[in-house]
Amino acid sequence: MSLRGMLGATKGWFTTHTPDALFDRQLVWISLGLMLIGLVMVTSASFPVSSRLTDQPFHFMFRHAVFLILSLMVSTAVLQIPLQRWLQYSSVLLGISFVLLIVVLVAGKSVNGASRWIPLGLFNLQPAEVAKLSLFIFMSGYLVRKQDEVRSTFFGGFFKPIVVFGALAILLLGQPDLGTVIVMLVTLFGMLFVAGAKLTQFIALMVAGIVAVIALIAAEPYRVRRVTSFLDPWEDPFGSGYQLTQSLMAFGVVSGLDKVWVTQFKNSNISQKRIPTLYLPYWPKS
């Protein structure tokens, strides 16, 4: 493609109205914005660690930028695949997800007691992410094909997606990975609601799901500690509450005149050197 053609295509991308485009342009801008924010956060958080391990303060920033570029290239290629083709092979993708989830339990890489990754040399594959994507694609096609059954019958149309999700959830809990199960469950709730499932069935499923999540949290002491440590991290500041207490120490909160000013400590190394897992999110309590 010539330079003039590339400039024309770029101009058309900016000027074409969203309904005429092949994708939601607002969603693309939001995604790009989140990517840039994430790159800035990774750069800020990795200075000391990168300098200590590689003698290059921007090592992790460059690595993260390379993965972002690769992800943009992959997303551009995926965008060229017709939606009907995804729906056509949704069952195959779901089957691959089941195989990967079984493989990770048998021969996966274990980190901190969780077996969630399959080492592939250049990167580690996390089958849970593949499972989420394949489940949502499969459910989208199923709910379109069986919309009438979902709305009219319980065992005929409404119960089948729950069986598929339950099978995936059992494999995910074996890793264990309750967080991914909750994300998939909440998304499935939304998809069934949009598909027009009966309100009584939807509410019953939602209540059952909430009860199941509470039971799974109560069944494992470390999950209970995560909840209680969030409520009061200072009760065990060097144990279960370590992540949140160190995050709070990295920020000073000053309030006044109906405004809350959040200022980072001048010694930013507090958050960079003392937070054990830099990529974990946290929400400081007010």
Side-chain angles (χ1 to χ4, degrees), residues 4-185:
R4 180 177 298 180
M6 293 178 62
L7 293 176
T10 304
K11 180 180 178 181
W13 193 87
F14 281 101
T15 57
T16 303
H17 295 293
T18 300
D20 300 330
L22 296 175
F23 47 84
D24 191 332
R25 197 155 47 237
Q26 286 86 354
L27 185 61
V28 172
W29 284 117
I30 293 173
S31 301
L32 291 175
L34 290 174
M35 287 181 180
L36 292 176
I37 293 173
L39 181 62
V40 171
M41 295 178 67
V42 168
T43 304
S44 174
S46 64
F47 270 119
V49 177
S50 182
S51 299
R52 185 174 69 253
L53 296 180
T54 66
D55 294 327
Q56 169 55 258
F58 297 104
H59 171 77
F60 290 107
M61 184 200 74
F62 289 140
R63 190 180 72 167
H64 190 71
V66 169
F67 280 112
L68 287 179
I69 294 173
L70 291 175
S71 67
L72 290 174
M73 295 172 61
V74 172
S75 63
T76 302
V78 169
L79 187 63
Q80 310 305 315
I81 302 176
L83 185 60
Q84 292 300 323
R85 188 64 58 85
W86 286 107
L87 298 179
Q88 180 182 356
Y89 292 101
S90 60
S91 299
V92 177
L93 292 174
L94 189 64
I96 293 175
S97 299
F98 276 106
V99 173
L100 291 175
L101 289 175
I102 294 174
V103 169
V104 77
L105 292 177
V106 176
K109 179 181 179 181
S110 180
V111 178
N112 295 329
S115 180
R116 301 178 185 175
W117 297 270
I118 300 176
L120 297 178
L122 294 178
F123 65 96
N124 294 324
L125 176 65
Q126 189 171 3
E129 300 301 321
V130 181
K132 282 194 292 188
L133 178 62
S134 61
L135 176 67
F136 300 153
I137 294 175
F138 175 81
M139 288 303 173
S140 299
Y142 176 83
L143 293 174
V144 170
R145 297 191 310 269
K146 305 292 184 178
Q147 187 175 23
D148 294 336
E149 292 185 20
V150 172
R151 293 182 175 182
S152 59
T153 62
F154 178 76
F155 291 102
F158 184 82
F159 188 68
K160 291 178 182 178
I162 310 304
V163 174
V164 175
F165 164 76
L168 288 174
I170 291 174
L171 294 174
L172 287 168
L173 291 173
Q175 298 182 8
D177 191 357
L178 179 60
T180 298
V181 174
I182 294 176
V183 170
M184 294 170 65
L185 179 62

Side-chain angles (χ1 to χ4, degrees), residues 247-255 260-267:
S247 303
L248 292 171
M249 289 172 61
F251 290 87
V253 181
V254 182
S255 60
V260 177
W261 303 88
V262 181
T263 58
Q264 190 172 8
F265 281 132
K266 293 180 179 180
N267 182 12

